[in-house]
Amino acid sequence: MLANHFQNGIETARFVWSRIPNSEESRLLDDAVGIIKKNDGGGVESLDYEVIENFAYREEQAQRGKLYVSYLLVVKWFFALLIGICTGLAAVFINIAVENFAGWKFSVTFDIIQKSYIAGFVVYVLFNLVLVYSSVYIITQFAPAAAGSGIPEIKGYLNGVDIRGILLFRTLIGKIFGSIGSVGGGLALGKEGPLVHTGACIASLLGQGGSTNYHINSRWFQVFKSDRDRRDLVTCGCAAGVAAAFRAPVGGVLFALEEVTSWWRSQLMWRVFFTSAVVAVVVRAAMGWCKSGKCGHFGSGGFIIWDISDGQEDYSFAELFPMAIIGVIGGLLGALFNQLTLYITTWRRNHLHKKGNRVKIIEACLVSILTSAVSFGLPLLRQCSPCPDSDPASGIECPRPPGMYGNYVNFFCSKDNEYNDLATIFFNTQDDAIRNLFSAKTINEYSSQSLLTFLVMFYALAVITFGTAVPAGQFVPGIMIGSTYGRLVGMFVVKYYRKLNIEEGTYALLGAASFLGGSMRMTVSLCVIMVEISNNLKFLPLIMLVLLISKAVGDAFNEGIYEEQAQLRGIPLLESRPKYEMRNMTAKEACGSGRVVSFPRVVKVSDVVSILRSNKHNGYPVIDHTRSGEPLVIGLVLRSHLLVILQSKVDLQHSPLPSDPRGGSRSIRHDSGEFAKPVSSKGICIEDIHLSSDDLEMYIDLIPFLNPSPYIVPEDMSLTKVYNLFRQLGLRHLFVVPRPSRVLGLITRKDLLIEDKENVNTLELQSTRVRLPHQNKRLTTRNTDVERPLLSGLLQNQMPD
């Protein structure tokens, strides 16, 4: 019978191995979901955050009244409410699942080790291995874009870069269930970064009305079809993710403002704040419901909030020096962490992961086994310590009863009144381990040898785990690392200063803030998050101090971890400041010497197809000629609009002569929503459009579809000013033209102050008049048509579709 069971086990293993996709299948799957290839930029394109004011858009805006504008405003607030509720529920589901898996794991393991530590170790390793295997299998087989934290990709999206696959429904499912497996499996990572990605996916899916691929959609939600509106929704989702992860609504708003978004408006601030507040209410209600025991092992440790309001009351001026040392250590270790993860991730992507999904699965499983062996084995080598005198007021019991985890864990101890300090932080959930490190009134709970051992081993595990094919956040590992060396410094301060009011947990909190600041390079949002999760406003000046020092030290070596990873993934982020070399360059130099591909106003269909197939540009200038034959730029037409026109065929005409839609010869047959590209997908391709020979001989008048007012800069403008204009306006294309020969008007601040008349529904704009020196007449911007100069170049994001 034993031989039969052994044979069945071998057959089962072979079946599971055969189900793992091979390297060829991995490459095809990666191509399908748009994984970025750094060498050619495939899978990346820009987003159209600029409003395309073509004839269809203007006609649609003219038909809308104030009632419709109010309706859109109400819908935006309603979507903010839905994003907050859905993200809060997703966070509750993830936390309940992780806490229950961790609770079952530790309960079973503690029960077994009462009889045999070897059997308990085997069960512990297998439990973690199953959870990690489920996570990596979901990622490699179902949702490759859900690997990692997702914050660099979301930051790129809000910067104007569309990375295919990051906001799909399958990515959302992979992120949720993959996070449960990876975090519940005990890996050195967190669920906070994936929660930001989860909130962004929820916001994007709500904005597009659901998922058409899985037939989960509704036309009632398909209101916002432009990239600009979707960008605002994704921003709300990012803030909601942080608010749900840390129960820090204000920190979530500031995180979205400081770290991920590139464009911010006061109206968006209100909606983001409202979304974060809704998340806080949902999470609070869920925790209140779970207090009755309806959520299994889920308890106070389910959501991150380490209340140290009963800790150190005050601090002296002499303590500022060791606190500054913590900031320096955080900057050095954070910069080293960024560099090590960059090197290992680069090697992993260039050599290891190219071998296919089987290697990714094996790698994650080996990391799981190594992590389980370290977290279980190292406490066995540590000698137990006697329990301190019990303090009934502290509410902390020493040792914990068998089968319980928390402070003062009795693990492999010969006496009942002893505890294992290394098992208290190693053989525990990360949330509870951090709570133990932050805890007050537990002086001398940990020895310096145990803290140093944990710091070295967990730091190495975090570096190795980062980059595996599982959803992984860096907030909680960073807090674990920082709080460990912070508590070490606190121990020396307690020893040498010999003051009774000094708490080691205070220095653990400052260490956590310093490492996150040295690695992620955030200041304002991180400061507020740390204050909210510690529930102690007295530490605000100290947290500000260590964050400023750690960020300054880290900036001296490299960039933040999200910027490093975005660069590694080939995401072309436009940072807030232009490069110094741009000061000595002009717009014409940035354009290069290449010929600009353009269309005439009336173009033959065959010419359009030929140009679209011969290049991958996303925007094309449209050129017309004056009566004297001089070429003039009349606007910009997008590739996506041309593809819609070719696919519908309703705007094709037999005549090569231009038509005038304003004169009534023919009306526009499209609304602006038809030109919207589906979110996070490639949209229509030229290869998908089938045209007959008769269709190719017809013509298209591009006037109704082009943007007649694109942004234009003179050729000698400095590249620094061009960069700031391009980034701050969220542009995708920018025309470069020769310097205009004459001035038609001058706009000042007062020209932009619009007065709303009471009796009519029109807007009056005062115009500024410019007197020409050689003419005795005035030209006004209101009554004079603008003569557009000849196009000299085109600045755009040079990324293929």
Side-chain angles (χ1 to χ4, degrees), residues 337 341 344-345 348 461-468 472 474 561 565:
F337 183 85
T341 53
I344 294 178
T345 306
R348 181 180 277 135
L461 289 175
V463 171
I464 295 173
T465 307
F466 187 87
T468 53
Q474 294 307 115
I561 188 170
Q565 294 300 316

Side-chain angles (χ1 to χ4, degrees), residues 189-471:
L189 44 82
K191 55 183 177 295
E192 289 68 34
L195 268 176
V196 176
H197 194 179
T198 299
C201 290
I202 291 174
S204 177
L205 289 170
L206 286 175
Q208 65 176 336
S211 175
T212 55
N213 293 335
Y214 296 93
H215 306 288
I216 308 174
N217 59 340
S218 173
R219 292 185 178 181
W220 293 98
F221 290 95
Q222 296 176 0
V223 179
F224 304 109
K225 299 181 180 180
S226 67
D227 291 333
R228 178 187 292 261
D229 292 329
R230 290 169 180 167
R231 175 191 67 190
D232 294 346
L233 293 177
V234 171
T235 303
C236 293
C238 291
V242 176
F246 295 101
R247 289 172 59 192
V250 180
V253 176
L254 295 177
F255 175 83
L257 171 61
E258 179 183 9
E259 184 61 23
V260 293
T261 189
S262 299
W263 299 279
W264 196 260
R265 305 188 311 277
S266 59
Q267 299 93 335
L268 180 61
M269 168 79 81
W270 281 101
R271 292 201 298 272
V272 171
F273 185 78
F274 174 70
T275 304
S276 300
V278 171
V279 171
V281 172
V282 172
V283 171
R284 186 68 179 178
M287 292 191 65
W289 184 72
C290 288
K291 284 183 179 180
S292 60
K294 299 178 181 179
C295 302
H297 289 271
F298 180 82
S300 61
F303 278 94
I304 299 177
I305 183 164
W306 302 290
D307 192 346
I308 55 176
S309 57
D310 59 344
Q312 185 170 334
E313 293 292 335
D314 199 1
Y315 50 88
S316 62
F317 183 78
E319 293 182 67
L320 295 180
F321 178 73
M323 292 175 181
I325 295 297
I326 290 178
V328 175
I329 296 174
L332 294 175
L333 291 182
L336 178 62
F337 183 85
N338 294 356
Q339 204 64 36
L340 291 176
T341 53
L342 180 64
Y343 288 151
I344 294 178
T345 306
T346 302
W347 174 83
R348 181 180 277 135
R349 292 170 65 90
N350 294 337
H351 299 89
L352 195 62
H353 287 179
K354 283 187 174 181
K355 298 180 180 180
N357 285 342
R358 290 181 180 178
V359 175
K360 295 179 183 179
I361 294 176
I362 294 174
E363 177 199 25
C365 292
L366 290 178
V367 171
S368 173
I369 295 174
L370 176 63
T371 304
S372 301
V374 168
S375 60
F376 192 97
L378 284 182
L380 296 177
L381 305 178
R382 178 64 185 166
Q383 186 176 3
C384 293
S385 304
C387 288
D389 296 335
S390 60
D391 183 8
S394 64
I396 299 177
E397 183 180 1
C398 180
R400 291 279 180 173
M404 298 294 292
Y405 50 97
N407 282 86
Y408 300 109
V409 173
N410 186 294
F411 184 82
F412 202 64
C413 298
S414 57
K415 298 180 180 180
D416 293 337
N417 61 342
E418 292 182 337
Y419 73 97
N420 192 319
D421 59 345
L422 195 56
T424 303
I425 49 179
F426 245 135
F427 201 66
N428 223 326
T429 62
Q430 293 184 15
D431 291 355
D432 285 311
I434 295 172
R435 186 173 287 103
N436 297 341
L437 291 171
F438 282 3
S439 59
K441 300 179 177 60
T442 54
I443 295 178
N444 300 325
E445 178 183 0
Y446 305 98
S447 65
S448 57
Q449 296 88 347
S450 296
L451 290 178
L452 190 60
T453 301
F454 177 81
L455 174 62
V456 173
M457 296 307 300
F458 192 83
Y459 191 96
L461 289 175
V463 171
I464 295 173
T465 307
F466 187 87
T468 53
V470 293

